Amino acid sequence: LRSSTSISGDFYDFIPLDDNRLGIAIADVRGKGIPAALLMVMIRTALRLVCREESSPALVLKRINDLLVIDTEPDLFATIVYGILDSKSLTFTYSNAGHCYPLHLKNTDSNNRQSELDQESKTNPAIHQLQTGGMVVGSFDFAEFEDAAVQLEYDDAILFYTDGITEAEHETDGTFFGEERLMDVFQSNSRLSAEMLCSTIATSLLDFSSVKQQNDDLTV
């Protein structure tokens, strides 16, 4: 996580639920500074309480939303992905509340079976975006959420990030780093450890933008 100011509105968390299940979350609060940081603390506190009472990520996000709507202004909201990684069943069950779609990269053995036509596709066919979910949390009392389960295989990888990554701008022409560049870096370096992969993405972002201080928080 790299903050664009002294206080960040991004956060991520890992929450042990039992011997086999790990809760994973990443979120991005609208705005910057103290109001965004306070909302982030509220969301993280609610998440850690609710996730141990609900087994469905969609219900977790629904309860967080209902709590936030009572006490926050409609223009102060957050996007969040919350999911449960089950190491026994090798599944990741998640719900996405308006956040950047996490990227699920299938193992390279299955990727090698792609046709040349698939390789020329505009989007990377080896990567599946985790889109199931609902609206942002904190703005609408009628918001509803859905969840979905992803079956994982050995050497699969899932990348979570905030829009500070994809919306990082090139210093001279103003183009965005974008999803396609992120997918390319992800796939090319998927064999690296998580720490090294995050470092490689950060380096690629800096090489692209040539700007040391971005306008938005960066989390991956």
Side-chain angles (χ1 to χ4, degrees):
L1 189 154
R2 296 186 182 182
S3 175
S4 62
T5 63
S6 59
I7 303 175
S8 176
D10 286 3
F11 84 91
Y12 64 91
D13 204 358
F14 299 97
I15 309 168
L17 301 174
D18 56 36
D19 290 343
N20 300 316
R21 299 182 307 138
L22 178 69
I24 301 174
I26 186 168
D28 185 359
V29 176
R30 182 183 184 273
K32 301 181 179 67
I34 293 176
L38 290 175
L39 183 58
M40 179 266 290
V41 171
M42 290 173 61
I43 293 172
R44 184 173 183 268
T45 301
L47 172 64
R48 285 198 155 240
L49 290 173
V50 173
C51 71
R52 291 182 170 87
E53 300 174 357
E54 301 286 357
S55 59
S56 162
L59 289 178
V60 170
L61 295 186
K62 171 64 175 171
R63 287 187 59 184
I64 291 173
N65 179 74
D66 292 348
L67 289 169
L68 294 180
V69 165
I70 297 172
D71 292 320
T72 58
E73 297 296 326
D75 62 345
L76 191 60
F77 58 85
T79 65
I80 180 172
V81 174
Y82 171 67
I84 300 171
L85 178 65
D86 190 319
S87 60
K88 187 174 182 179
S89 65
L90 290 181
T91 56
F92 180 67
T93 306
Y94 75 95
S95 187
N96 187 337
H99 195 76
C100 304
Y101 300 144
L103 305 177
H104 173 208
L105 176 63
K106 300 293 289 182
N107 69 66
T108 53
D109 289 338
S110 63
N111 293 344
N112 290 336
R113 294 194 293 269
Q114 299 170 81
S115 68
E116 292 184 2
L117 181 61
D118 287 336
Q119 296 280 2
E120 294 172 0
S121 173
K122 186 174 182 180
T123 57
N124 192 325
I127 295 178
H128 173 64
Q129 296 178 321
L130 306 186
Q131 302 181 9
T132 301
M135 307 171 74
V136 300
V137 296
S139 288
F140 307 104
D141 58 6
F142 54 82
E144 298 289 339
F145 305 91
E146 298 179 355
D147 48 34
V150 177
Q151 188 64 49
L152 303 176
E153 299 177 18
Y154 181 76
D155 271 350
D156 280 12
I158 299 179
L159 180 69
F160 303 84
Y161 62 97
T162 58
D163 61 8
I165 301 291
T166 51
E167 295 179 5
E169 295 186 26
H170 192 278
E171 185 177 29
T172 56
D173 60 23
T175 57
F176 289 155
F177 187 72
E179 289 183 353
E180 288 189 41
R181 286 188 181 87
L182 181 60
M183 289 180 183
D184 288 343
V185 176
F186 182 27
Q187 185 170 17
S188 299
N189 299 277
S190 62
R191 295 288 186 177
L192 297 177
S193 67
E195 182 178 4
M196 287 301 299
L197 175 59
C198 292
S199 178
T200 299
I201 291 172
T203 299
S204 299
L205 197 65
L206 181 59
D207 290 344
F208 169 80
S209 65
S210 300
V211 177
K212 292 184 178 181
Q213 184 66 29
Q214 292 289 338
N215 294 323
D216 199 1
D217 300 331
L218 307 174
T219 304
V220 59

